[in-house]
Every structure is written in C-alpha cells, then in structure tokens.
Amino acid sequence: MFGIERVELKDSDEVRLMREAGLVVARALAAVREAARAGTTTAELDAVAASVIAEAGAVPSFLGYQRFPASTCISVNDEVVHGIPGARILEPGDVVSIDCGAIVRGWHGDAAVTIVLDDADPADVALSGAARDAMWAGVAALHGASRIGEVSAAIDDAITAAGEADGVVYGIVEEYVGHGIGTAMHQAPDVPNFRSRDRGARVRPGLCVAIEPMLSRGERFTQVCEDDWTVVTDDGSRAAHWEHTVAVLEDGLWVLTAADGGAEQLAAAGVPLASIAFT
C-alpha cells in the first residue's frame, strides 16, 4: 500500500549471517562492560569496542552513520541515547548505557546494555533492571504475537509492573523506539515501547527486529543537545537503555545478539529457542 514501508523478511541463511554480526556485538559489549570503571573515559570504552569489531573483520554500524563520529553510543546518567564517546571520565555510581552495532557481509546486529558503576544508587540499579526486564518481556511477546502492537503492550506492561514493585513511576521515552534490522541498521517496522491504538506490522517468520526500551527515573520527555546527537532527559533524571536483535522463526525465536541465543531467558518465559540456533 502506498506510504507503508516494506518489511524485509529474512531466510535462514540471512538470519545466520545476522547471527555472526550479533555475536560480534555481544563480544564487543562484554569487553566494554569488563573495562568500564570509574576513572575510565568514554572514548577509551569506545576504543575497546572498536578493537573487538575490527579483530572480527566486521565494520561498526554506527561509525559514519549520518556522520556519527564513533563506533558506539555511550550515554551517561541523564543521557538517554546517542551519547558521543569522548574525554568524559566516568565516576563512581554513574549509570552508563552502551549501544553497539556491527556489520558482517552486509548484515547488521545491534544491542545495548546499561551498567551502574560501583557505589551505585539502588534506585539506579532498579531502573536498569526494569529496562532490561521490559526488553525481555518484549522479546518473549514476539512468540505468538500477530502484530507488533502486542509486543509494545508487553513492554509497557512490564515497565508498569516494575514501577509498582519499585514504588516509582518510570518515564517511557516515546521519541525513540525499536526497529526492524537487516541489510540496514534501521528498517521497518517501528517497535514502540508503549501501548497505543496502532496494531503495528504483522509478526511472521523471517521478521528481525531490535527491541530497545529506554526509561527514566522521572518524566518521559527528552531533548537533543547542541552536538545534534546526545539525547538527555528534560528533568535531569537518570535513564537506562537495553536492546537485543531478535529473529522470529517458524518454530521459535533466536536472540541474535545474546551469546547463548537467549536460551536461558526464553526458557524462563516458556518460549522455544528456534531450531536453527542449534544448526
């Protein structure tokens, strides 16, 4: 139909290529998490990820994308997403979100994690946990969903439940959402992190999406800094961001950017790991 972007569905060979890219991203994020500590600069963390990507013979998805100047986005405290690595020195208790993408033979993988450095505020740890758990709720909802809107509703419900358990109301950032992924880093369909009347695109085998909730400890509203990239919360509240790239297959899901394919989390949710993951 005119005005609706075509959703790129992948075959098994293409999903396997995306898995290669996803594993590069998983290794890069693991290396950055290991290196992240107070006294380290965000540029030094970016260099760690860039080295892992280069050693794998892959290409960073972010570097040069619309002139973005780094291999990762590193966002600290009130920075929600798209933070540019640089001279900033991390301090005890900082909330650090690392977003990383890699390309292998033309196919993309994309994932993000949030860590809280030592001397953490328990409320920041809870915030990151709420975003992580909401991401996994969205992943699980892909199995058996008919439309993306069901995934968005599951993410929203998980955030609401986490907030009730933590005694807070988390702000769900609405301007930035999950997305399709494959031969380009950002494709149709959008995957919002909030419930709406829009049913969204159909969920069917071959669909690959990046699910990435972004939450704040305050209001949901954001603004873009003068560097034209870094997104911060309007009220200065701290934010968290988690993301995985997921493939929908005939017989289950495959979390392409998780080292174990998402086996543990999917099993806990009663969702089958696709048989292609074992081949």
Side-chain angles (χ1 to χ4, degrees), residues 10 22 72 102 115 123 194 229-230:
K10 287 77 174 174
T72 59
I115 58 175
F194 52 91
W229 279 106
T230 308

Side-chain angles (χ1 to χ4, degrees), residues 192-225:
N193 298 308
F194 52 91
R195 186 186 299 274
S196 73
R197 293 182 179 180
D198 185 0
R199 297 182 64 204
R202 288 180 57 198
V203 176
R204 43 188 174 164
L207 177 70
C208 293
V209 292
I211 293 179
E212 52 175 330
M214 302 168 208
L215 311 182
S216 82
R217 283 176 55 183
E219 297 292 335
R220 69 170 182 83
F221 303 104
T222 64
Q223 56 186 287
V224 180
C225 295

Side-chain angles (χ1 to χ4, degrees), residues 1-232:
M1 184 181 297
F2 180 76
I4 297 179
E5 291 186 78
R6 184 181 70 85
V7 174
E8 178 186 86
L9 299 178
K10 287 77 174 174
D11 63 29
S12 5
D13 289 337
E14 292 167 340
V15 171
R16 288 188 181 96
L17 285 172
M18 290 185 66
R19 172 60 167 168
E20 291 184 37
L23 285 173
V24 173
V25 171
R27 291 196 296 272
L29 286 174
V32 172
R33 292 179 77 167
E34 181 68 23
R37 58 181 61 86
T40 304
T41 68
T42 54
E44 288 170 335
L45 297 184
D46 182 70
V48 169
S51 176
V52 172
I53 293 169
E55 288 173 4
V59 176
S61 297
F62 298 173
L63 184 61
Y65 178 78
Q66 296 183 4
R67 299 185 180 180
F68 189 78
S71 296
T72 59
C73 298
I74 301 182
S75 308
V76 183
N77 295 336
D78 65 330
E79 297 172 352
V80 181
V81 70
H82 302 162
I84 300 174
R88 180 172 187 161
I89 299 173
L90 297 180
E91 299 179 0
D94 276 349
V95 178
V96 186
S97 297
I98 308 109
D99 193 356
C100 182
I103 310 168
V104 172
R105 286 181 274 176
W107 294 88
H108 291 256
D110 188 9
V113 299
T114 293
I115 58 175
V116 186
L117 300 187
D118 288 343
D119 294 335
D121 182 337
D124 290 333
V125 175
L127 170 72
S128 178
R132 180 197 61 225
D133 293 348
M135 174 193 68
W136 282 112
V139 171
L142 273 170
H143 182 66
S146 60
R147 296 277 182 173
I148 287 292
E150 297 165 51
V151 176
S152 300
I155 295 170
D156 193 324
D157 288 348
I159 294 167
T160 299
E164 290 173 352
D166 297 337
V168 298
V169 176
Y170 291 120
I172 305 174
V173 174
E174 295 187 3
E175 295 90 345
Y176 305 93
V177 299
H179 51 88
I181 184 170
T183 53
M185 181 166 57
H186 295 119
Q187 298 180 328
D190 285 349
V191 186
N193 298 308
F194 52 91
R195 186 186 299 274
S196 73
R197 293 182 179 180
D198 185 0
R199 297 182 64 204
R202 288 180 57 198
V203 176
R204 43 188 174 164
L207 177 70
C208 293
V209 292
I211 293 179
E212 52 175 330
M214 302 168 208
L215 311 182
S216 82
R217 283 176 55 183
E219 297 292 335
R220 69 170 182 83
F221 303 104
T222 64
Q223 56 186 287
V224 180
C225 295
E226 290 182 359
D227 62 16
D228 291 330
W229 279 106
T230 308
V231 177
V232 297

